[in-house]
Amino acid sequence: MFYSTDVYHYIRAELSGLGIDFESADFSYAVNHSQGDHVTFSGKIEAEELNKCVDLYVEALQKTNAPSYEVDALSKKLKYFLKVYHQVASSYLDITGRSYSRSKIEFEDVGLDILSDSGEDDEKYFHYMEVDGEVLIGRFGLMQFWYSDFIDFLNFVSNSITDCLQRAYGTLSKVSMAMYNAVEDFKYSRVINDRLTLSITAVSVDSCDMDLGDCYLDTEVSPFGKTQDIRNNELIKAMYHGVANNQDVPVQVKISFIDEDENVVSETWRVTYSTLDANGKYKIADRRSLISEAVYDLRAALDISKAA
């Protein structure tokens, strides 16, 4: 399997479409093809980080043929109320993401808190609800909005998180099987002469942990000259989806030259990629160059043997 750092980057990439910053969240995963398999995380976010989710929610409602004027008004109110929540709430939204069941968003009952604290005082209500000089939800409509529109929206976000994590788990499960099959199904042997045989085998997947950060991290330079690595979400998703489909599966191979007495004369280890072809056979991407490198190691080993 890949390094856990790479896996966490991939999971975050699958979640990136929601527009929520999960970089500081604590992630966990297990892909053993057993009952305990999971992709989960826990973290805290500010309410206004859900703005992109409002757009996704609106798109989903539009697909149900909901009247556009109602959807547009709802979008404006939801984004407005996220700001109200940010102003009034004493803590962040706590999110527990789960691939195996509905994700959970814990929140303060801000709607009830505002009504309870403001009582009949319109000025105090305005103080709580004012954003950029506007109050878009009146006192008598607040609880209906809270328990209907806002809670429905949070349920949509919760379900969307679960969908992303289920998609991530499905891909990781396929990646695990692809890496296993690429090892188990690959064998190559060729007789060189009456004294030497070339053998290429792949190692166990458990020994094939690979740090592939260079494949999906872009380096950016800030105006102050500081460099930082930025994850390319589309690139890492394409990489994982490709491996899940048995394309460019990372493997580590052992190239051995064996004499007539079954003794290993020379052994070369290299990291490379394997792809399942149309005939159901795994092919090493750069077999010829790998063999050339192994031949170089063989000659060096024979020279040492002669000198001895």
Side-chain angles (χ1 to χ4, degrees):
M1 198 64 170
F2 295 105
Y3 275 147
S4 58
T5 300
D6 295 324
V7 175
Y8 294 143
H9 272 300
Y10 163 67
I11 297 170
R12 288 184 173 96
E14 286 289 3
L15 289 162
S16 64
L18 300 179
I20 304 172
D21 182 4
F22 289 119
E23 296 305 313
S24 60
D26 295 322
F27 283 82
S28 173
Y29 72 94
V31 183
N32 301 309
H33 306 282
S34 63
Q35 189 173 0
D37 282 8
H38 68 272
V39 176
T40 60
F41 74 87
S42 60
K44 300 177 181 294
I45 67 167
E46 294 185 355
E48 288 186 276
E49 291 185 56
L50 297 180
N51 270 329
K52 174 67 181 298
C53 289
V54 173
D55 296 333
L56 297 175
Y57 184 50
V58 166
E59 289 178 12
L61 291 176
Q62 288 173 335
K63 292 178 181 178
T64 66
N65 295 321
S68 60
Y69 69 90
E70 291 183 3
V71 172
D72 291 342
L74 178 60
S75 173
K76 185 176 181 179
K77 284 185 178 181
L78 286 172
K79 290 185 177 182
Y80 154 79
F81 195 75
L82 289 174
K83 292 181 180 180
V84 172
Y85 188 101
H86 179 74
Q87 293 175 170
V88 176
S90 61
S91 62
Y92 294 98
L93 294 169
D94 290 316
I95 299 182
T96 303
R98 308 183 183 106
S99 61
Y100 54 85
S101 64
R102 184 175 178 178
S103 297
K104 183 178 180 182
I105 301 177
E106 296 183 62
F107 51 86
E108 296 180 30
D109 196 341
V110 167
L112 184 59
D113 291 344
I114 290 173
L115 290 178
S116 298
D117 196 55
S118 64
E120 298 297 323
D121 189 334
D122 290 338
E123 185 175 341
K124 199 169 186 179
Y125 180 83
F126 183 90
H127 170 74
Y128 281 128
M129 298 291 291
E130 185 270 332
V131 174
D132 298 329
E134 290 185 302
V135 174
L136 299 185
I137 303 172
R139 177 191 305 277
F140 297 107
L142 178 57
M143 294 315 296
Q144 179 180 354
F145 172 83
W146 173 263
Y147 285 114
S148 178
D149 298 328
F150 194 70
I151 298 302
D152 284 350
F153 165 66
L154 291 182
N155 288 336
F156 169 83
V157 176
S158 174
N159 291 334
S160 297
I161 291 172
T162 298
D163 289 344
C164 291
L165 296 182
Q166 287 178 343
R167 185 163 58 249
Y169 171 74
T171 298
L172 292 175
S173 180
K174 290 180 180 178
V175 165
S176 173
M177 290 305 301
M179 296 182 79
Y180 174 83
N181 291 333
V183 170
E184 293 299 312
D185 297 347
F186 178 78
K187 291 180 178 62
Y188 180 83
S189 180
R190 189 175 77 187
V191 176
I192 305 300
N193 53 42
D194 57 357
R195 291 182 299 172
L196 283 178
T197 298
L198 169 66
S199 173
I200 304 178
T201 57
V203 302
S204 167
V205 171
D206 292 337
S207 303
C208 194
D209 284 350
M210 301 172 65
D211 183 1
L212 299 175
D214 291 343
C215 298
Y216 60 83
L217 293 176
D218 298 330
T219 300
E220 292 188 359
V221 181
S222 72
F224 304 102
K226 183 179 179 181
T227 61
Q228 59 180 341
D229 290 330
I230 304 296
R231 181 181 60 247
N232 187 318
N233 292 319
E234 295 309 312
L235 194 57
I236 190 172
K237 285 194 291 185
M239 183 177 75
Y240 271 74
H241 295 165
V243 175
N245 289 315
N246 300 294
Q247 303 296 309
D248 295 326
V249 181
V251 293
Q252 192 170 20
V253 295
K254 179 177 69 173
I255 308 169
S256 306
F257 288 96
I258 304 169
D259 65 18
E260 66 272 24
D261 297 321
E262 300 296 321
N263 296 316
V264 177
V265 179
S266 173
E267 194 171 84
T268 301
W269 292 82
R270 291 291 185 274
V271 173
T272 184
Y273 296 90
S274 177
T275 293
L276 188 67
D277 66 14
N279 297 318
K281 300 289 185 180
Y282 280 93
K283 300 293 185 182
I284 296 299
D286 47 358
R287 191 179 69 188
R288 288 187 177 182
S289 62
L290 292 175
I291 292 175
S292 296
E293 293 178 27
V295 169
Y296 179 86
D297 292 342
L298 171 65
R299 287 171 178 166
L302 292 175
D303 289 343
I304 294 173
S305 178
K306 288 179 181 179

